[in-house]
């Protein structure tokens, strides 16, 4: 997975970094037409803004001017039609509710502070790759526009979430990060659930020196990739960014800060695994920055129903299913995947003592078991093959 990442459409990011010779270093090559891929007109490199909102237009024009990016603005989808598919990037204002027929999804949906959850819902309906709330996300948007001509989008950001409470998403995220690190992939594990108790406790790494989320609460704009990676704690061969495993209340981290951190992570790591959590706040802040999502669910009817409901809240990102269960579960897993309309990416082994291992900070020890390594290896290989 060296220096590459999967994405939902044409998601822009920074250049990747990682050791040469990592597993799958050529399997996720970017920027090459795939066999049978339809020819598209060459991009003009121009950034297209579609909005009739005067304030939104002024905010975006100011940001584009500051980074020296050419911006062409039209008031609605009809006016945008002739240049939509040749633009280097399409920014869509929240006042535009429909896309031109048979046109690619917008790169970023822009809204203004105060629009609330409706902005995320609109982004999902339109298939937007990212959502940015101005003026808070001005720094992130400036960085995003500044990299709009960079052909290398960086590392894969993989989200992991549970279809129901206690599904095993955190366990899966830790084991995947551990296995990727074993194969030489430069990996970052991100705790995306501020109310999850602190993922560092599962790693017995609460005393490891390095930054936690509260230290990055005020981050905005561009964060140096080396600065970030050098400041993070490590465990199990990978870096991690966790919420503190303490009872003290942590400061809130704004979506703009999350976007800035994940953009730096994308540029500095080959694989970023985000344990998203299931709360509305986590889904809004973290899921939209993922390029692919794994939905983990037990092989149970109620879990499948809960997972189906959660799917409706996820952004338009390629999503696959991981079923948690024992050996007999392999028979039920394809049926559950079919009922959810998701590809099956594996069965997370339900091993005795896993819950206790997580509680005691011994999850990394469990991750060395053969059944766990087989599971993690197969999932990572599927991710790799998905972009081959």
């Amino acid at each position: 997975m060296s220096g590459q990442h999967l994405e939902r459409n044409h998601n822009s990011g920074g250049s990747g970094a990682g050791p040469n010779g990592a597993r799958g270093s050529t399997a996720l090559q970017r920027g090459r037409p795939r066999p049978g891929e339809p020819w598209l007109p060459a991009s003009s490199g121009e950034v297209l803004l579609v909005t009739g909102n005067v304030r939104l237009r002024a905010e975006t024009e100011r940001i584009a001017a500051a980074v020296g990016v050419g911006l062409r603005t039209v008031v609605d989808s009809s006016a945008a039609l002739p240049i939509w598919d040749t633009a280097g990037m399409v920014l869509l204002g929240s006042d535009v509710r429909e896309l031109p027929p048979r046109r690619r999804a917008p790169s970023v949906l822009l809204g203004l502070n105060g629009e609330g959850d409706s902005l995320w819902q609109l982004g999902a309906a339109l298939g937007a790759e990212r959502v940015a709330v101005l003026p808070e996300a001005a720094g992130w948007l400036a960085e995003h526009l500044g990299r709009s001509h960079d052909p290398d989008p960086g590392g894969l950001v993989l989200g992991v979430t549970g279809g129901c409470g206690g599904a095993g998403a955190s366990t899966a995220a830790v084991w995947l990060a551990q296995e990727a690190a074993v194969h030489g992939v430069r990996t970052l594990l991100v705790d995306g659930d501020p109310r999850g108790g602190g993922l560092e406790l599962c790693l017995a790494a609460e005393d490891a020196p390095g930054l936690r989320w509260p230290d990055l609460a005020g981050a905005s704009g561009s964060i140096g990739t080396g600065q970030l990676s050098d400041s993070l704690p490590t465990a199990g061969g990978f870096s991690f960014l966790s919420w503190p495993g303490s009872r003290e209340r942590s400061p809130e981290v704004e979506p703009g800060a999350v976007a800035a951190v994940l953009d730096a992570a994308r540029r500095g790591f080959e694989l970023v695994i985000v344990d998203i959590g299931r709360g509305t706040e986590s889904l809004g802040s973290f899921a939209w920055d993922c390029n692919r999502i794994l939905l983990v669910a037990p092989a149970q009817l109620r879990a499948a129903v809960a997972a189906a409901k959660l799917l409706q809240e996820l952004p338009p990102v390629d999503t696959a299913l991981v079923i948690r269960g024992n050996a007999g579960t392999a028979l039920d897993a394809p049926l559950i995947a079919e009922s959810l309309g998701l590809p099956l990416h594996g069965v997370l082994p339900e091993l005795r003592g896993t819950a206790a291992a997580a509680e005691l900070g011994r999850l990394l020890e469990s991750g060395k078991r053969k059944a766990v390594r087989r599971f993690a290896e197969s999932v990572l290989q599927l991710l790799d093959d998905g972009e081959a």
Side-chain angles (χ1 to χ4, degrees), residues 187-188 287:
T187 304
L188 170 63

Side-chain angles (χ1 to χ4, degrees), residues 6-303:
L6 308 172
E7 57 187 23
R8 63 196 83 156
N9 285 309
H10 300 282
N11 194 17
S12 179
S15 60
N20 293 327
R23 185 186 66 85
S25 60
T26 62
L28 303 184
Q29 294 296 324
R30 309 292 311 170
R32 300 179 183 175
R34 300 172 189 163
E37 185 177 26
W39 180 86
L40 294 176
S43 169
S44 68
E46 189 175 46
V47 176
L48 172 64
L49 171 64
V50 187
T51 185
N53 186 311
V54 175
R55 182 184 167 196
L56 196 57
R57 173 175 177 171
E59 287 277 357
T60 309
E61 288 178 341
R62 176 182 62 81
I63 295 168
V67 295
V69 172
L71 186 67
R72 183 169 180 178
T73 304
V74 297
V75 296
D76 56 33
S77 297
S78 298
L81 187 58
I83 54 176
W84 186 289
D85 281 334
T86 57
M89 181 185 299
V90 178
L91 310 178
L92 192 69
S94 57
D95 57 306
V96 180
R97 299 298 171 129
E98 295 183 358
L99 304 183
R102 300 171 65 182
R103 291 299 185 267
R104 78 178 197 257
S107 299
V108 183
L109 176 67
L110 300 175
L112 295 169
N113 187 27
E115 294 191 59
D117 293 341
S118 63
L119 187 62
W120 306 100
Q121 295 167 0
L122 177 61
L126 297 176
E129 297 176 12
R130 309 291 282 271
V131 174
V133 183
L134 299 178
E136 286 83 355
W140 173 84
L141 183 60
E143 178 73 9
H144 193 64
L145 292 176
R147 296 196 311 270
S148 61
H149 303 294
D150 189 340
D152 187 350
L156 166 68
V157 180
L158 172 68
V160 184
T161 187
C164 63
S170 297
T171 298
V174 169
W175 286 345
L176 288 171
Q178 184 178 14
E179 185 65 18
V182 167
H183 286 275
V185 178
R186 186 170 167 79
T187 304
L188 170 63
L189 176 65
V190 177
D191 183 357
D193 187 0
R195 294 180 176 83
L199 193 59
E200 63 184 10
L201 295 179
C202 297
L203 310 174
E206 58 270 26
D207 295 327
L211 297 180
R212 270 49 173 191
W213 271 115
D215 301 312
L216 298 166
S220 62
S222 178
I223 298 176
T225 57
Q227 181 184 18
L228 177 66
S229 60
D230 291 345
S231 302
L232 294 175
T234 60
F238 55 86
S239 300
F240 69 89
L241 175 57
S242 177
W243 292 94
S246 67
R247 297 182 180 181
E248 297 180 6
R249 182 174 182 177
S250 299
E252 293 185 5
V253 179
E254 297 296 329
V258 171
V261 170
L262 290 183
D263 274 346
R266 186 194 306 274
R267 300 193 307 272
F269 293 87
E270 300 167 89
L271 176 62
V272 181
I273 299 178
V274 184
D275 179 18
I276 300 175
R278 301 183 66 252
T280 301
E281 176 185 354
S282 299
L283 291 173
S285 295
F286 290 91
W288 281 85
D289 280 284
C290 296
N291 311 115
R292 179 167 283 195
I293 291 177
L294 292 180
L295 181 63
V296 183
Q300 301 169 358
L301 176 60
R302 290 182 61 190

Side-chain angles (χ1 to χ4, degrees), residues 161-172 175 295-301 303-304 307 321-334 336-337 340 344-352 354-355 372 375 379:
T161 187
C164 63
S170 297
T171 298
W175 286 345
L295 181 63
V296 183
Q300 301 169 358
L301 176 60
L321 181 68
V322 168
I323 289 294
R324 191 198 80 211
N326 52 35
T329 301
L331 300 176
D332 299 324
I336 297 173
L340 293 174
L344 180 65
H345 264 25
V347 176
L348 177 69
E350 192 163 21
L351 304 178
R352 180 180 298 178
T354 299
V372 173
F375 156 75
V379 172

